[in-house]
Every structure is written in structure tokens, then in C-alpha cells.
RNA sequence: GACUUAGUAGCUCAGCUGGUAGAGCAACGCCCUUUUAAGGCGUGGGUCCAGGGUUCGAAUCCCUGCUGAGUCACCA
């Protein structure tokens, strides 16, 4: 890499690295560095009365420095937090040679460098538990300056907030913004709590195919790829439902999977093209049982995270204490619009939609219209956890018909803070009904609904062997994490949210520049002057180019001998 | 996909109705042995996102593009 592409601070750090090498210090040593404590342990365990912790070793990143002549303070950040260190010149360098302090620590180390430190713990005059350093080892030199974030009395100064940089360079975000780590630790607690509950119940955690020949189990546009050896298209899964039900057919009474699903659709605050769903299927249960199971699960998760069931989501305090309200979809619509749609036909529903100012088009069936009305008028009002039950049959091709009403299904969604969190059924296990429902979907698809489901004949065949009555539930883990951690963007609960790839400016190779007669050492200078391609260079005015590159030579003290004006003209000829 | 909005130093941001850039932190130099957003004095650092246009003159006005963010649409 040419120094012309580097910022002043990056050049200084690279120079420091060279200086370290000259002193015989390897800034990237290979050997294991054995630590005895984390920062948090020192803070917890140290007792000035006992005067314990008189020989501890820590490792971490330098996050701030306060140098005061012969003594210095710095903050070291490790996996568990930060601790202050105190470095005294004569304690670090007891002999005549003070290089390690004067040169290495004061001049050649920077914020961001990773160091190992050995010493004893004490409390400063101001009352800060600190490590008095006796030995310092460089473990890794940092060549890029970190964003500097300062904090006092809980107030943060110059926070690193640029969302683009935070998501593209999550590693920097994690170093500099400690609250980001917390979100991901909570995410892991959520998953762990759920997994423990399922394991205790004796359910089997399984893995099912991500590459599927038929993308089933949901209605969504899939990502498509190609398998070379088989020469067939394969789809990234949009759901794993049909595979988990095959396992119930196979004789497992309870299976679950934390699964990455992929949907080739729009991205926004609550949608990422790949996202995590937990789906669970339990034999011999129905959706009433599953509602109890779900509310118990969420109560446990909230307790594990917060020690209480009440959670702040934005402005709203949401209480995950079971049991949750249960409301049929028709009753929800009645409650929020005053209209009773029981038994209405297509024309009646269309009129209701018109009256409520809800846009519908001619392809909409009864089910889709009812869903629109609910989505427009009811969903947003469901702040406290509410089970919405008994969805129209058209919307739920994998769900068993309601025991009391064949136009409805035994389905529930759990609404929290105005959004869907869970989706669950008494599963459809009648193979004849299932095939008919798939065929209905085909008709929808022929009518232009590009999200209608594909027919999976192998799944129908599995049902023909007999699946026990089963209830299944799916829950969006990203969304659950958002609720439970108070984040309002899915990007804040994914380490690496999908971003448009960074665009590299087009740059022509050295060879192409050299072919024009430009000496190799001048190529970088020409690029730095703003002419990254031959085409751009050909447009240049020779006089300006000449001045620009000679100016850069002087400014950056490159020590090159300048070309003549005629040389430059010849390049452009 | 549509609309709105933003892109200025390593980071956070000023920069009004056009006159080619500023602050704090970070960096560099000097001083300082218990400081903590350490402090004091001094110095350097910018293709003002890119490309066009208007103008004597553009960070600033206009157009196009790129990349974010927000609303909406889509997401049963």
C-alpha cells in the first residue's frame, strides 16, 4: 500500500511499528499470553484491607491515555469491561534504560493497541481501582485510529453514531460502543432460555435442509441458486415447517429448530433478507395448548433477561406475565371497527373495506380482505401481548380447519407492541384436505398471486402415512430480541445486517499507466492527483497535471525527481 | 419501487441570503509522578461523496449518480 493512500495518523502508526521493529520488539507476537484476571474480576475481588491481587496479569486494548511526565494512566478494555492502569516510569523500567516507558509506551503505543500487563492492584487517591504496571508486553499494534468516544457521569461525548460505518464495520462498533455487546449477550440469553425449556420438556433439537428443491412452508419469494452436479435449481429455505412435520410423521413427539430463513423481499427496519426463526412442533397437542406453552416461554424469557415480566418497548410498558388475552380475529375487528363481519360474503367484505378506506383489488378473496381489515385497523392497537385466533381458511393452507367453523382455522398469532411476534397452528394432518388446500393455492397463483405456495407432493405423501394431531409454533427471534432489548431496528440485533456492497472506485492497474511511459514510482502520485483511470488521465490538461504531481512530490516529501513538462505531455499524447 | 433528508479532518459537528474552510476530541512537539471527558503552551492535518451546470467566483444554488437514514408501498 502506498503511503499516499493513508491518512496522516495511519502513516504515523506505521512508522511507530517500524520503530518498534528496530527496537527488536515484535508487535505481533505468536506466543500465548497467559492472563490471570478479567477487568471485572479485579474490580469485584480487590479488597484494600486484605491487600490481595498483588500479582495479576491482564490483556486488552488501550482505550485512553493520560500521560503526565514520568507517570501515566490508561484505560484497558478487555472482554468484560475496562480497568484503569497506572504506569510509573521507574517501576516499569527499574534500571538505567528507560526506553520501554519513554519511547515505547509514550511514543510508539497508541489508543487501540492491544497489550498485556502484569502488576499489582491498588486504589488511587481518587478512589479508582487500578493496576500498577510492572511489566508491559505489546500483543498487537493497531494501524487504524479508532473513533474516540469519551464518557463522564454516564454522559457520552463524540459517540460513534454513523449507522453506515457502525454496520459495515461492526468490529469498530463493538470496540467502541459497549451497549452493542449487551444486546447480543441478551440475544444469546433469549435463545438459551428457550432451548433449556424445550430440552427440559424432552423435545429434540434438529437441523433441516436450507437448500430445498421446493421452497415450502410459507408464502414468500425465495432466493434461487443452482446445484451443478445435479444440474437442478435449489431454493434457500423460506421456512422449515414442512421438514419439521415430516419428522413428527417419523415418530418424534417434539422437534424444534432455530433456523435461518431467507426471503427475497424488501428490507426495512423490521426485515432483513436472512433472519432467524424458531419453529417447534409437538405431537398430540392443539393450538390452545400451544398458547399456554408460548406465554409460559415468553414469561421465562422476560424473567431471564430482566428479572421481571414488564419490559419497556419504546414508550410502552409491555407485561409478558402469562396468561395473555385471547381474541378471535372477528372479535378483534368488531372491537376496533364496530363491524361484525361474521358470515359476510365477498361483496359484503368489499363494501366494508371501501367504507373503511382500505384498498383492495379484484384478486383478493375473503380471507385476504379480512386480513387486510385486521392489519389496517386492529394490529397496531395490540400493545400488550394478545393472541389473535381463528384466521380465515384461505390465508392458512397448512392449518387445520376450526373444529366449530370450516371457514376458519385453528391458528393464532401473538401480537405484541402492535406487531406480529408468533404464528402457530393446530397443524393440518388430513392429507386429502392438505392436497386440496395446496390446489387452492395453485389457483391463487394462476390468478397472479406470486406469493401463493408451491405444492410439495412428498409432504402430502408423508401425511398419507399419518401424522399425529400436532401443534406447531414459529417465533421470529430477531423481532423477539428487538422487543426484549428495546431496539427499534433489526439491524441493531444482527451483527452483520445486509448492506449494499461497498463500491470500489474504478482504478486502472499500474501496468496501464506504465505503458503510457509513466515511471512506476509516479503512478501512485498520478492516482493521488485524482486520475484513477487512463480515460480520466487522457482528459487531463498537461500543465495542471504537471503542477499537481510535482506539488504532491514536494508536499509529501517523496524525494522523486520531477518529470519535465514535455514528459507529461508525452504521457497524454 | 416512490417521496423526504443527509454526506465537510480519524470521530462528533459548525460553516446564514454564493467570496475556495472552522471547533472539540484524536494526532504531532514541549512541560507535568495518583489523573480520569486530566491540564498548559505550540504545530500539522481537508479531491467539503462523485460528475456535470449556473456564476467573475460554488462546501453553499441547480441537475444526475453513489451511499446511508426516515416515511410509504411490498413483506398472507
Amino acid at each position: 500500500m502506498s503511503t499516499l493512500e493513508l491518512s496522516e495518523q495511519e502513516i504515523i502508526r506505521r512508522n511507530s511499528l517500524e520503530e518498534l521493529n528496530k527496537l527488536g520488539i515484535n508487535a505481533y507476537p505468536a506466543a500465548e499470553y497467559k492472563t490471570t484476571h478479567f477487568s471485572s474480576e479485579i474490580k469485584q475481588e480487590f479488597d484494600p484491607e486484605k491487600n490481595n491481587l498483588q500479582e495479576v496479569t491482564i490483556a486488552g486494548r488501550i482505550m485512553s491515555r493520560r500521560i503526565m511526565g514520568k507517570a501515566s494512566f490508561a484505560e484497558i478494555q478487555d472482554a468484560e469491561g475496562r480497568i484503569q492502569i497506572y504506569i510509573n516510569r521507574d517501576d516499569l523500567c527499574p534500571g538505567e534504560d528507560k526506553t520501554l516507558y519513554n519511547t515505547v509506551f509514550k511514543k510508539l503505543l497508541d489508543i487501540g493497541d492491544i497489550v498485556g500487563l502484569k502488576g499489582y492492584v491498588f486504589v488511587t487517591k481518587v478512589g479508582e481501582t487500578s493496576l500498577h504496571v510492572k511489566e508491559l508486553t505489546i500483543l498487537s499494534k493497531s494501524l487504524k485510529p479508532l473513533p474516540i468516544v469519551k464518557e463522564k457521569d454516564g454522559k457520552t461525548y463524540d459517540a460513534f453514531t454513523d449507522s453506515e460505518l457502525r454496520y459495515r464495520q461492526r468490529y469498530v462498533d463493538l470496540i467502541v460502543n459497549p451497549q452493542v455487546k449487551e444486546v447480543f449477550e441478551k440475544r444469546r440469553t433469549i435463545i438459551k432460555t428457550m432451548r433449556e425449556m424445550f430440552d427440559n420438556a424432552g423435545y429434540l433439537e434438529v437441523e433441516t435442509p436450507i437448500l430445498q428443491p421446493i421452497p415450502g412452508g410459507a408464502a414468500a419469494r425465495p432466493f434461487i441458486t443452482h446445484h451443478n452436479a445435479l444440474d437442478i435449481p435449489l431454493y434457500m429455505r423460506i421456512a422449515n415447517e414442512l421438514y419439521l412435520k415430516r419428522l413428527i410423521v417419523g415418530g418424534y413427539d417434539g422437534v424444534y429448530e432455530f433456523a435461518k430463513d431467507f426471503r427475497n423481499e424488501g428490507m426495512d427496519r423490521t426485515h432483513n433478507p436472512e433472519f432467524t426463526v424458531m419453529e417447534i412442533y409437538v405431537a398430540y397437542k392443539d393450538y390452545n395448548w400451544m398458547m399456554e406453552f408460548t406465554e409460559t416461554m415468553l414469561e421465562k424469557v422476560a424473567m431471564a433477561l430482566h428479572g421481571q415480566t414488564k419490559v419497556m418497548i419504546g414508550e410502552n410498558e409491555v407485561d409478558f406475565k402469562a396468561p395473555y388475552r385471547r381474541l378471535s380475529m372477528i372479535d378483534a375487528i368488531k372491537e376496533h371497527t364496530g363491524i361484525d363481519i361474521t358470515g359476510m360474503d365477498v361483496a359484503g367484505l368489499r363494501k366494508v373495506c371501501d367504507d373503511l378506506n382500505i384498498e383492495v383489488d379484484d384478486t383478493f378473496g375473503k380471507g385476504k380482505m379480512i386480513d387486510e381489515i385486521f392489519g389496517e385497523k386492529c394490529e397496531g392497537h395490540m400493545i400488550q401481548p394478545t393472541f389473535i385466533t381463528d384466521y380465515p381458511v384461505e390465508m392458512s393452507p397448512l392449518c387445520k380447519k376450526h373444529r366449530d367453523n370450516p371457514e376458519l382455522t385453528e391458528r393464532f398469532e401473538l401480537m405484541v407492541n402492535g406487531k406480529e411476534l408468533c404464528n402457530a397452528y393446530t397443524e393440518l394432518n388430513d392429507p386429502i384436505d392438505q392436497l386440496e388446500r395446496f390446489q387452492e393455492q395453485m389457483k391463487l397463483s394462476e390468478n397472479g398471486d406470486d406469493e401463493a405456495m408451491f405444492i410439495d407432493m412428498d409432504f402430502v405423501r408423508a401425511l398419507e402415512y399419518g401424522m399425529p394431531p400436532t401443534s406447531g409454533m414459529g417465533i421470529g427471534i430477531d423481532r423477539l430480541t428487538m422487543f426484549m432489548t428495546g431496539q427499534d431496528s433489526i439491524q441493531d440485533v444482527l451483527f452483520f445486517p445486509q448492506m449494499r456492497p461497498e463500491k470500489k472506485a474504478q482504478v486502472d492497474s499500474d501496468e496501464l499507466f506504465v505503458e503510457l511511459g509513466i515511471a512506476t514510482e509516479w503512478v501512485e502520485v498520478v492516482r493521488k492527483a485524482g486520475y484513477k483511470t487512463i480515460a480520466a488521465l487522457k482528459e487531463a490538461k498537461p500543465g495542471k497535471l504537471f503542477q499537481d504531481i510535482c506539488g504532491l512530490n514536494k508536499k509529501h516529501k517523496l524525494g522523486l525527481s520531477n518529470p519535465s513538462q514535455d514528459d507529461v505531455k508525452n504521457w497524454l499524447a
Side-chain angles (χ1 to χ4, degrees):
Chain A
M1 182 176 294
S2 157
T3 52
L4 287 174
E5 290 169 26
L6 298 172
S7 70
E8 181 199 26
Q9 293 194 44
E10 288 174 295
I11 293 167
I12 289 166
R13 285 177 180 229
R14 279 171 148 80
N15 289 342
S16 297
L17 176 61
E18 267 180 53
E19 291 300 316
L20 288 170
N21 287 338
K22 281 184 197 157
L23 289 170
I25 297 170
N26 179 0
Y28 302 101
E32 176 189 9
Y33 190 81
K34 281 203 170 93
T35 62
T36 61
H37 289 76
F38 285 116
S39 57
S40 54
E41 293 170 335
I42 292 176
K43 287 182 178 171
Q44 278 160 22
E45 291 172 22
F46 183 63
D47 183 347
E49 308 250 308
K50 289 189 208 144
N51 213 27
N52 56 342
L53 300 183
Q54 291 308 289
E55 190 166 310
V56 303
T57 307
I58 62 167
R61 195 185 289 275
I62 301 173
M63 295 305 287
S64 72
R65 296 199 300 168
R66 297 179 281 279
I67 295 173
M68 300 166 302
K70 297 187 188 67
S72 300
F73 291 92
E75 273 184 298
I76 300 296
Q77 176 168 292
D78 64 16
E80 303 272 302
R82 289 188 185 188
I83 186 154
Q84 177 170 271
I85 60 164
Y86 173 73
I87 299 190
N88 176 305
R89 186 192 67 186
D90 296 324
D91 287 334
L92 186 66
C93 312
E96 284 298 301
D97 182 3
K98 306 297 183 191
T99 310
L100 184 59
Y101 182 78
N102 285 340
T103 308
V104 175
F105 176 73
K106 273 169 71 174
K107 307 230 186 242
L108 303 181
L109 287 186
D110 292 288
I111 289 174
D113 290 351
I114 296 169
V115 293
L117 301 153
K118 190 171 173 183
Y120 63 87
V121 181
F122 74 111
V123 177
T124 64
K125 280 182 189 166
V126 202
E128 176 104 14
T129 303
S130 307
L131 180 73
H132 189 125
V133 176
K134 311 285 274 188
E135 286 176 31
L136 178 148
T137 311
I138 298 177
L139 300 177
S140 185
K141 178 81 190 142
S142 160
L143 296 180
K144 274 187 172 299
L146 286 171
I148 302 299
V149 179
K150 297 212 175 184
E151 202 197 277
K152 191 191 185 183
D153 301 332
K155 208 178 158 192
T156 305
Y157 299 82
D158 299 333
F160 177 58
T161 51
D162 184 309
S163 46
E164 184 173 2
L165 289 177
R166 284 187 50 223
Y167 302 143
R168 282 197 202 282
Q169 302 185 37
R170 181 67 92 180
Y171 35 90
V172 175
D173 193 29
L174 287 164
I175 293 167
V176 146
N177 290 327
Q179 53 315 345
V180 175
K181 280 180 141 175
E182 273 176 40
V183 169
F184 291 96
E185 281 152 22
K186 284 180 179 161
R187 181 178 173 121
R188 180 249 177 202
T189 302
I190 290 168
I191 291 171
K192 182 174 162 236
T193 305
M194 290 168 66
R195 181 174 277 137
E196 276 172 4
M197 177 178 169
F198 305 155
D199 288 347
N200 289 340
Y203 307 143
L204 183 70
E205 181 165 19
V206 299
E207 292 177 272
T208 62
I210 290 172
L211 290 174
Q212 302 179 348
I214 297 169
R221 264 178 299 236
F223 286 92
I224 184 164
T225 183
H226 184 263
H227 190 272
N228 290 342
L230 295 174
D231 192 23
I232 53 166
L234 284 175
Y235 301 86
M236 309 284 280
R237 71 174 165 208
I238 54 175
N240 53 358
E241 172 159 356
L242 303 187
Y243 284 93
L244 291 173
K245 284 199 256 191
R246 282 173 171 99
L247 294 176
I248 297 291
V249 172
Y252 293 110
D253 278 357
V255 290
Y256 70 94
E257 180 174 16
F258 286 91
K260 269 278 178 80
D261 287 351
F262 306 84
R263 297 188 183 175
N264 202 344
E265 281 158 358
M267 292 162 56
D268 62 27
R269 255 196 331 183
T270 55
H271 295 86
N272 194 66
E274 64 180 279
F275 59 102
T276 304
V277 174
M278 194 294 302
E279 290 203 30
I280 183 164
Y281 291 81
V282 185
Y284 309 112
K285 308 296 185 191
D286 66 4
Y287 77 145
N288 291 314
W289 179 89
M290 189 58 85
M291 279 188 254
E292 281 175 33
F293 185 81
T294 302
E295 61 200 8
T296 306
M297 177 187 82
L298 290 173
E299 187 180 319
K300 272 185 209 251
V301 168
M303 287 300 292
L305 283 178
H306 304 288
Q308 56 170 22
T309 55
K310 294 191 169 106
V311 177
M312 288 305 294
I313 304 178
E315 305 280 286
N316 301 318
E317 185 185 76
V318 174
D319 192 346
F320 284 97
K321 175 129 191 73
Y324 304 157
R325 187 177 183 210
R326 301 181 186 190
L327 191 63
S328 78
M329 188 171 242
I330 284 175
D331 286 343
I333 289 172
K334 203 186 292 175
E335 190 170 299
H336 287 97
T337 66
I339 299 170
D340 186 354
I341 59 165
T342 312
M344 273 194 192
D345 59 9
V346 177
L349 286 167
R350 185 150 289 151
K351 182 167 183 309
V352 171
C353 287
D354 287 346
D355 291 347
L356 295 172
N357 260 329
I358 295 167
E359 273 188 50
V360 289
D361 67 54
D362 297 342
T363 64
F364 281 26
K366 275 166 71 170
K368 201 153 179 173
M369 278 192 278
I370 293 171
D371 197 62
E372 284 293 318
I373 297 170
F374 178 79
E376 285 291 318
K377 297 293 169 190
C378 309
E379 194 171 289
H381 299 290
M382 312 281 173
I383 301 301
Q384 296 305 320
T386 307
F387 289 116
I388 300 299
T389 65
D390 304 343
Y391 283 60
V393 66
E394 297 94 322
M395 308 303 295
S396 314
L398 302 169
C399 183
K400 189 175 278 192
K401 281 179 184 155
H402 196 281
R403 59 195 78 179
D404 299 327
N405 181 346
E407 296 215 326
L408 301 177
T409 53
E410 296 206 351
R411 171 178 182 177
F412 73 79
E413 289 193 355
L414 177 65
M415 312 303 299
V416 176
N417 202 40
K419 305 238 166 53
E420 174 197 341
L421 180 59
C422 304
N423 183 23
Y425 310 144
T426 301
E427 300 297 336
L428 176 55
N429 62 343
D430 174 344
I432 293 169
D433 191 4
Q434 181 66 78
L435 183 56
E436 284 172 8
R437 302 272 202 99
F438 274 142
Q439 281 160 348
E440 285 297 311
Q441 290 290 307
M442 282 298 282
K443 281 187 202 151
L444 286 176
S445 162
E446 281 155 17
N447 284 341
D449 185 344
D450 59 357
E451 278 147 4
M453 288 190 192
F454 296 73
I455 300 187
D456 185 336
M457 285 311 293
D458 176 70
F459 175 66
V460 176
R461 177 168 63 193
L463 293 188
E464 285 170 348
Y465 284 100
M467 181 172 88
T470 297
S471 184
M473 184 266 288
I475 177 167
I477 297 298
D478 309 298
R479 200 167 280 188
L480 177 62
T481 307
M482 287 167 64
F483 286 154
M484 289 291 178
T485 61
Q487 302 299 316
D488 56 10
S489 167
I490 196 170
Q491 299 179 111
D492 291 318
V493 300
L494 300 171
F495 275 126
F496 304 104
Q498 193 56 243
M499 305 282 281
R500 211 178 286 271
E502 284 180 86
K503 241 206 176 135
K504 272 193 258 167
Q506 204 207 326
V507 177
D508 281 340
S509 69
D510 287 12
E511 288 74 25
L512 288 171
F513 283 93
V514 171
E515 274 174 28
L516 297 176
I518 302 174
T520 315
E521 62 269 26
W522 280 97
V523 171
E524 268 314 318
V525 186
V526 170
R527 286 212 194 97
K528 174 74 175 175
Y531 308 97
K532 307 240 189 265
T533 62
I534 303 299
L537 186 65
K538 291 287 184 188
E539 298 285 310
K541 293 192 178 93
K544 183 172 188 325
L545 176 60
F546 177 75
Q547 285 189 356
D548 285 352
I549 61 173
C550 295
L552 284 168
N553 184 26
K554 190 175 170 195
K555 182 175 164 196
H556 290 276
K557 302 191 179 82
L558 300 174
L560 304 174
S561 55
N562 287 334
S564 71
Q565 291 217 38
D566 284 341
D567 289 341
V568 174
K569 263 184 209 161
N570 287 334
W571 297 347
L572 304 186

